[in-house]
Amino acid sequence: MADRTITLLIVDDHPVVRDGLRGMFASDPGFDVLGEAAGGAEGVELARRLDPDVVLMDLRMPAGGGVEAIAELTRRGARARVLVLTTYDTDSDTIPAIEAGATGYLLKDAPRDELFTAVRAAAEGRTVLSPAVASRLVGAVRNPGAPPAADTLSAREREVLALVAKGTANREIARELFISEATVKTHLTHVYRKLGVNDRAAAVAAAYDRGILG
């Protein structure tokens, strides 16, 4: 597999994300992006016509969700391996995608080299999980009586919240963690939801109350 070009289909509702991924993979002769889709249903149809090795699949899209598309590809016996690429890492996102037949699950803040390695592994049929997702799934198996993971913070969310607690602005957090400012905002949205708060100050206070920040 390493000596041949891996063909890809990108399924994401954001044109900027699709452009960025296409440009990234175009820089490496080991990959060939065959097409793009803006939703799950279109992705299933293109996967049928183009027969890629790997489908990079977002999960939450207005024109058809990723989990439904993965399930349909599995039902049809599609040859393509599906690697989920999303900003969401809660159990309510990861488990249904894996149960539907996804070969891997990666977060969008993954570095370029990690993404390339994941795509190559997925093309060979090997399971790929981002470190944060793998850690949480293993923790859930080892501690079945623990509170639902959806109510806890991921390692990255704790990192972001710790910097917020120090008064760090989003732009500086993004620079320090080597992620985009939009990704910082996404992590904060997840933190607010999980902690049941509406702003940064309340999130920091709740995190201290629950012992998350020591």
Side-chain angles (χ1 to χ4, degrees), residues 24-185:
M24 186 184 302
F25 284 103
S27 69
D28 189 309
F31 302 103
D32 182 15
V33 178
L34 301 180
E36 304 173 7
E42 183 185 6
V44 170
E45 176 57 24
L46 279 182
R48 183 189 67 79
R49 288 199 285 116
L50 301 175
D51 190 31
D53 296 316
V54 176
V55 177
L56 282 180
M57 181 76 75
D58 193 9
L59 285 185
R60 302 185 187 182
M61 298 173 284
V67 171
E68 293 79 6
I70 295 168
E72 181 63 16
L73 289 170
T74 300
R75 188 187 69 78
R76 296 186 180 193
R79 186 184 65 84
R81 307 289 186 174
V82 179
L83 177 60
V84 173
L85 187 62
T86 180
T87 57
Y88 303 100
D89 66 347
T90 65
D91 284 359
S92 61
D93 293 298
T94 56
I95 293 176
I98 293 170
E99 288 179 339
T103 298
Y105 200 107
L106 208 61
L107 301 181
K108 285 183 176 174
D109 61 0
R112 175 179 178 275
D113 289 347
E114 183 179 337
L115 177 58
F116 282 11
T117 298
V119 169
R120 293 188 183 100
E124 295 173 353
R126 290 188 280 127
T127 300
V128 181
L129 294 175
S130 72
V133 172
S135 176
R136 290 174 54 253
L137 290 178
V138 170
V141 171
R142 289 178 176 171
N143 301 286
D151 294 334
T152 63
L153 304 187
S154 69
R156 179 63 91 187
E157 289 162 356
R158 285 195 295 274
E159 287 181 315
V160 170
L161 188 55
L163 290 169
V164 169
K166 294 178 181 178
T168 311
N170 286 357
R171 180 173 299 178
E172 295 170 357
I173 294 173
R175 187 180 303 117
E176 184 162 336
L177 298 181
F178 301 102
I179 57 180
S180 70
E181 194 170 347
T183 301
V184 173
K185 293 178 181 177

Side-chain angles (χ1 to χ4, degrees), residues 10-25 36-38 56 58 85 108 115 180 182-183:
I10 299 170
V11 183
D12 196 297
D13 58 320
H14 293 101
V16 172
V17 173
R18 297 198 304 271
D19 289 347
L21 288 171
R22 179 182 280 276
M24 186 184 302
F25 284 103
E36 304 173 7
L56 282 180
D58 193 9
L85 187 62
K108 285 183 176 174
L115 177 58
S180 70
T183 301

